[in-house]
Amino acid sequence: MNAAWTALRRLVSPPSMTSSPSLRNLGPPQHKGMTALDRSKFDLTIPVLAARVKASEMGSVRKHDLLKGHIVDIPKIRSITPDADPALRRLLLRVAKPDDLPADTRAYLASSGITLEPDAVTLGYDHWTASEILNAVIETKEDEDTPSSFTQTGHIAHVNLREEWLPYKAMIGQVILDKIPSIRTVVNKLSEIHAEFRYFDMEVIAGEADFVATTSESGCTFTFDFAHVYWNSRLHTEHERLISLFTPGSVVADAMAGVGPFAVPAAKRGAYVLGNDLNPESVKWMRENRVKNKVEARLRVTEADARQFINGAPLEAWRNPFVRSEPVTVRQKEREARRRREAAKEAGVELPKEEVKVDSPPKPQTVDHYVMNLPDSALEFLDAYAGSFTPLLSEPGFDAASTTLPLIHCHCFTRFLDIEGATRDINERASAALGYPVTTDMDGYLLHPVRRVAPNKDMYCLTFRLPHDVAYKKTV
Ligand SMILES: C[S@@+](CC[C@H](N)C(=O)[O-])C[C@H]1O[C@@H](n2cnc3c(N)ncnc32)[C@H](O)[C@@H]1O
């Protein structure tokens, strides 16, 4: 159940009293099988008692201890209403008959000259939540999702209806539209996900056929055509997790960037980003989103196959360096000196202190991170890293010994639901594609569980540092 739905769930306060039978299990009238929404059918009239109290005494009467728990307390329903006698007000009590009140309460009312009369409160369609209405018309099993659950992307509610709910689809859409003010379009997922570009075919079941949605994530605004690009709000934690790893000034190459949920916020927080996607629609909206979020200078967008992009990114970043736009701090200088010293040490060279002093950090021109979020097949693209840094060896100024190779963050699925099985499966497939053993003791290795996407399928993010032998592999 998503946040929008949780917010919508304003519960009618559970009646604790033993009086009016319809107040005990407050819910709309049941109309199982209704397929065309008739809002008038959800009216519920509940018998109550009205205590007729002098207007001037109402303040003290309603607070009296003996009336505690006996006054009608239903959201959006007034417990005090006008009386035919202008000097009186009606205080509605949660009982149908005087005998349902405790004797001492009855005695208090009588001694105060307060008379009781039958009355009623009526709850209508507007009173009930979407799930209360839909559960009143659609038969569901206990272990099922409710037909009212949806994912919200901008103004679009996206439902995933079971076969048996399809006869109710127009009504489900209309109830969601009625109940959630920020929704203008309700769509049902029609088929399996588009194999290459990962978007769904969808059918509008209520509202406008407007698929261009605007939403926010990681402090950025994203606009895109939801009918032609991939977007999944459930990935926001994973987006945030990786973005927080990218230090300001680092270079990030996102090979399957979509409309930019990693790329745009990373650029906004100070990274320099090469964002790539093969879907021309994703590229169009990623360009739009970099303008919207004012990161044009920090995010370069390309439309290429990920394999070509991955292999070419190191040379592209080196030959066309980003222009450093942030002021260089003393801390950054120290960090860069440390980085150079550690890289040299790893390469077996001990640099004297004065040689690692830097006046300013180098231009952002070597890739520090790769992101590959195409979990169905990203592991297969690992072959593209072979020799990706080799062309730099003949570039003036490039020094392999002081260059830290990038971390690769590669998303993938596995059918192994235990961590040992998943690790074995993913490492094996990664090794086969990379042409190099991927093991848990590799530099930077992390297998991060992202989420369970189906009862028998988990999504992970495999991180490891690109091995030197792969990066500098000689290619013909
Ligand atoms: C699962 S989506 C992820 C998008 C984005 N990174 C995100 O987190 O929302 C995968 C993306 O890979 C793109 N894609 C699919 N095949 C590709 C390929 N061969 N090369 C580059 N991008 C590709 C799709 O168009 C889609 O935008």
Side-chain angles (χ1 to χ4, degrees):
M1 196 176 293
N2 78 1
W5 175 238
T6 313
L8 166 93
R9 202 164 240 287
R10 49 180 176 72
L11 282 177
V12 171
S13 61
S16 54
M17 29 167 279
T18 56
S19 36
S20 181
S22 21
L23 268 172
R24 241 177 270 140
N25 291 312
L26 207 52
Q30 301 289 299
H31 294 290
K32 296 286 187 229
M34 175 194 274
T35 50
L37 180 62
D38 180 349
R39 296 178 180 82
S40 68
K41 291 278 196 286
F42 296 97
D43 286 353
L44 177 69
T45 300
I46 305 164
V48 295
L49 272 189
R52 305 178 72 222
V53 181
K54 279 191 193 134
S56 58
E57 291 171 8
M58 182 58 92
S60 58
V61 171
R62 60 194 277 248
K63 286 192 197 121
H64 200 283
D65 270 357
L66 287 168
L67 284 180
K68 234 184 215 155
H70 298 298
I71 298 172
V72 162
D73 177 20
I74 304 173
K76 296 205 275 185
I77 296 293
R78 287 175 191 279
S79 58
I80 299 172
T81 60
D83 191 273
D85 179 343
L88 300 180
R89 298 283 180 275
R90 297 169 84 80
L91 179 63
L92 303 183
L93 304 180
R94 307 167 57 153
V95 287
K97 310 187 296 294
D99 283 355
D100 292 335
L101 287 171
D104 52 356
T105 305
R106 267 182 283 144
Y108 158 69
L109 292 171
S111 67
S112 311
I114 297 171
T115 57
L116 295 170
E117 261 185 13
D119 205 326
V121 294
T122 298
L123 308 178
Y125 175 80
D126 289 348
H127 183 84
W128 313 110
T129 64
S131 94
E132 284 167 332
I133 296 281
L134 294 175
N135 288 334
V137 294
I138 302 173
E139 207 70 67
T140 52
K141 297 185 199 97
E142 238 175 53
D143 59 342
E144 283 182 351
D145 273 349
T146 136
S148 57
S149 32
F150 64 87
T151 308
Q152 184 165 357
T153 304
H155 69 280
I156 303 173
H158 164 206
V159 294
N160 200 350
L161 297 183
R162 290 161 185 269
E163 181 84 29
E164 62 269 28
W165 296 341
L166 292 178
Y168 303 93
K169 65 183 181 188
M171 187 173 56
I172 294 172
Q174 189 55 54
V175 171
I176 293 172
L177 264 194
D178 286 348
K179 296 290 174 183
I180 322 287
S182 55
I183 298 290
R184 283 190 285 113
T185 304
V186 186
V187 298
N188 182 32
K189 192 167 109 178
L190 270 188
S191 60
E192 276 306 292
I193 196 162
H194 183 287
E196 192 172 27
F197 297 151
R198 316 305 295 166
Y199 59 78
F200 299 102
D201 283 338
M202 49 186 78
E203 173 195 23
V204 177
I205 57 171
E208 306 161 22
D210 174 8
F211 299 112
V212 178
T214 296
T215 189
S216 300
E217 195 183 275
S218 308
C220 294
T221 307
F222 295 91
T223 298
F224 47 85
D225 180 349
F226 192 46
H228 292 106
V229 302
Y230 177 90
W231 180 269
N232 188 346
S233 310
R234 291 196 187 130
L235 283 179
H236 76 272
T237 314
E238 178 60 3
H239 291 148
E240 191 59 45
R241 184 184 73 89
L242 283 193
I243 294 161
S244 67
L245 296 179
F246 309 149
T247 49
S250 57
V251 178
V252 178
D254 188 348
M256 297 105 167
V259 299
F262 288 114
V264 174
K268 187 108 184 165
R269 294 188 208 170
Y272 296 95
V273 187
L274 301 170
N276 175 75
D277 203 279
L278 190 57
N279 179 356
E281 272 290 308
S282 304
V283 165
K284 173 181 139 190
W285 292 106
M286 185 164 30
R287 289 205 168 106
E288 182 98 5
N289 292 326
R290 78 176 163 175
V291 175
K292 255 185 184 222
N293 293 283
K294 301 188 173 60
V295 291
E296 296 98 311
R298 291 175 166 273
L299 169 55
R300 249 182 241 162
V301 177
T302 51
E303 183 187 319
D305 181 78
R307 198 164 264 116
Q308 183 196 334
F309 169 81
I310 288 168
N311 197 263
L315 190 59
E316 159 63 22
W318 185 264
R319 286 203 175 153
N320 301 303
F322 284 95
V323 177
R324 188 175 278 283
S325 53
E326 75 278 10
V328 175
T329 63
V330 172
R331 251 199 163 166
Q332 280 173 315
K333 285 187 187 177
E334 286 170 358
R335 199 185 309 130
E336 179 53 25
R338 203 167 46 243
R339 189 182 74 80
R340 286 188 185 190
R341 204 178 303 126
E342 280 165 10
K345 205 168 166 189
E346 239 174 63
V349 190
E350 192 73 38
L351 289 181
K353 229 175 175 178
E354 56 276 16
E355 275 192 35
V356 290
K357 273 196 184 138
V358 279
D359 293 333
S360 62
K363 285 182 205 156
Q365 68 182 147
T366 49
V367 179
D368 299 295
H369 297 270
Y370 273 98
V371 182
M372 303 168 69
N373 180 18
L374 179 59
D376 239 10
S377 59
L379 287 173
E380 294 161 24
F381 286 78
L382 290 175
D383 61 353
Y385 289 97
S388 52
F389 276 71
T390 311
L392 275 73
L393 295 172
S394 41
E395 288 293 303
F398 181 76
D399 174 23
S402 64
T403 298
T404 306
L405 287 167
L407 284 171
I408 297 171
H409 309 281
C410 182
H411 292 92
C412 52
F413 293 134
T414 179
R415 299 267 173 202
F416 289 84
L417 302 185
D418 61 303
I419 185 68
E420 289 81 18
T423 306
R424 211 178 324 107
D425 172 46
I426 292 167
N427 286 2
E428 266 174 31
R429 289 188 285 141
S431 306
L434 190 68
Y436 187 94
V438 172
T439 56
T440 51
D441 55 6
M442 271 177 120
D443 186 21
Y445 185 96
L446 177 70
L447 189 60
H448 173 81
V450 177
R451 66 187 198 100
R452 177 144 299 169
V453 294
N456 57 354
K457 197 166 159 185
D458 282 343
M459 176 175 171
Y460 278 89
C461 179
L462 168 68
T463 293
F464 61 91
R465 193 173 300 286
L466 176 60
H468 182 278
D469 290 356
V470 178
Y472 295 104
K473 193 170 174 176
K474 287 205 172 62
T475 46
V476 276

